[in-house]
Amino acid sequence: MKIAFLGPEASFTQLTTTQLFPNEELIPKANILDCFLAVQNNEADKAVVPLENSIEGTVSMTLDYLYQTPEIKIEAEAVMPIAHHLMIHPSQENETEMEKIYSHPQALAQSFHFLNQKYPNVPKQDFASTAAAAKRVSENPDRKIAAVANKFAANLYGLKIIDENIHDFEQNHTRFIVISKSEASFESDLNSSGKKTGLLITLPQDHAGGLHQVLSVFAWRNMNLSKIESRTLKTKLGNYFFFVTVVGDWNNVLYVNSIDELRAIGADVKFLGNYKEFLLEG
């Protein structure tokens, strides 16, 4: 089985993918879109991408591609604790004179206060992933640049960590999802915290009380929503779709019928799957 993931090697997504699929062929991809395309074009059976961080919130690109690729479902969620470190090439002796700090925008945001306080005058530049940033530093020993990444990346690329655990909040976790064209839930012996269901809902034509009407479908059925988030449809201001997660199994007939009721009131609904959430080691 081939599993695509947001690479390169030593990214947090790869660490997640390795725990979920220890015996499968892993294929690194340069960005989240390439992960979706790998599944869509049958280059990979599944893919692992980040969905949400406890500090910075939802990865909007992942939500957008879930909406734009109707054949792709969610098989599982996996939550991993995240630790960020600042690293430089070992050939650089003066740790205070840096010209630039590279990392994934989420990692830079999660370490914003530390970096702003200790390195206020050093430009920070977005990179495709934390591991790619570490790789860039390793390939440029003569440049005074640094990367925010994990210890696995530092070891893999031979970098020197100059500041450990620079994330601004101790409880830093990222939620990843396993995507595929299958509607089956991914099974594993890993520790699971339960099941949930993902839905993408586009409201009926804009009118007063439209969102309330949609939420009422869940309310009278006592369906516990653990998340509801809006994303722009990119058509015009005020047009959104909603990502909703419902806690628990989807075998209750009232739950199943909720989709029919949503469609009956004019909402467009994409069922992403009923899947387990796994808890991983950092």
Side-chain angles (χ1 to χ4, degrees):
M1 187 182 298
K2 295 181 179 180
I3 314 296
F5 68 92
L6 177 62
E9 190 176 359
S11 67
F12 285 107
T13 314
Q14 193 228 2
L15 300 180
T16 298
T17 309
T18 300
Q19 292 188 51
L20 292 170
F21 303 97
N23 302 313
E24 306 298 342
E25 179 182 353
L26 307 186
I27 306 172
K29 293 295 177 182
N31 52 60
I32 292 173
L33 174 58
D34 285 346
C35 291
F36 275 81
L37 291 176
V39 175
Q40 189 177 40
N41 299 330
N42 299 316
E43 178 189 344
D45 300 285
K46 309 178 194 294
V48 180
V49 293
L51 176 66
E52 180 183 22
N53 177 262
S54 58
I55 298 175
E56 284 304 303
T58 299
V59 181
S60 57
M61 195 174 297
T62 299
L63 271 192
D64 288 342
Y65 295 143
L66 281 171
Y67 182 83
Q68 295 166 16
T69 50
E71 70 271 33
I72 288 182
K73 312 294 184 182
I74 298 177
E75 282 196 25
E77 283 189 358
V79 177
M80 172 181 279
I82 302 295
H84 293 304
H85 314 288
L86 189 67
M87 54 198 71
I88 61 175
H89 197 280
S91 64
Q92 297 296 326
E93 296 181 357
N94 192 336
E95 301 173 356
T96 61
E97 295 182 3
M98 286 187 288
E99 63 182 69
K100 192 169 290 186
I101 297 173
Y102 295 95
S103 195
H104 188 275
Q106 286 263 342
L108 292 175
Q110 292 161 27
S111 311
F112 173 81
H113 293 292
F114 176 89
L115 295 175
N116 191 53
Q117 181 177 5
K118 188 168 183 179
Y119 305 99
N121 299 318
V122 180
K124 288 78 177 176
Q125 183 169 324
D126 292 352
F127 226 67
S129 71
T130 56
K135 188 172 185 288
R136 167 64 67 89
V137 173
S138 72
E139 294 171 342
N140 293 271
D142 298 328
R143 292 187 60 191
K144 296 179 179 180
I145 56 178
V148 177
N150 58 52
K151 287 186 177 180
F152 186 46
N155 293 333
L156 178 66
Y157 296 114
L159 302 181
K160 179 172 67 173
I161 294 176
I162 58 174
D163 293 298
E164 292 190 346
N165 299 316
I166 66 172
H167 40 283
D168 295 325
F169 299 92
E170 183 177 350
Q171 293 300 321
N172 186 10
H173 292 76
T174 294
R175 188 186 314 278
F176 298 86
I177 54 173
V178 179
I179 60 172
S180 76
K181 292 181 179 180
S182 171
E183 295 191 4
S185 176
F186 172 72
E187 297 296 333
S188 172
D189 293 332
L190 295 168
N191 184 29
S192 171
S193 61
K195 297 191 76 173
K196 60 177 61 175
T197 296
L199 302 172
L200 293 178
I201 302 173
T202 305
L203 296 184
Q205 187 174 4
D206 187 31
H207 64 274
L211 179 57
H212 179 270
Q213 190 177 17
V214 167
L215 294 179
S216 295
V217 172
F218 302 112
W220 77 262
R221 290 175 167 84
N222 294 319
M223 298 170 73
N224 182 15
L225 305 186
S226 61
K227 182 180 182 66
I228 177 168
E229 179 161 348
S230 64
R231 281 291 296 161
T232 175
L233 286 171
K234 298 178 175 57
T235 52
K236 65 177 182 178
L237 288 175
N239 286 0
Y240 301 93
F241 70 88
F242 292 83
F243 175 57
V244 175
T245 56
V246 183
V247 176
D249 284 315
W250 197 255
N251 51 16
N252 186 318
V253 65
L254 288 177
Y255 285 24
V256 175
N257 289 341
S258 66
I259 293 180
D260 293 330
E261 184 175 344
L262 287 168
R263 289 171 176 160
I265 63 175
D268 182 65
V269 184
K270 176 184 176 181
F271 182 81
L272 293 171
N274 181 240
Y275 43 84
K276 289 182 179 180
E277 179 184 75
F278 296 99
L279 306 177
L280 306 182
E281 296 181 0

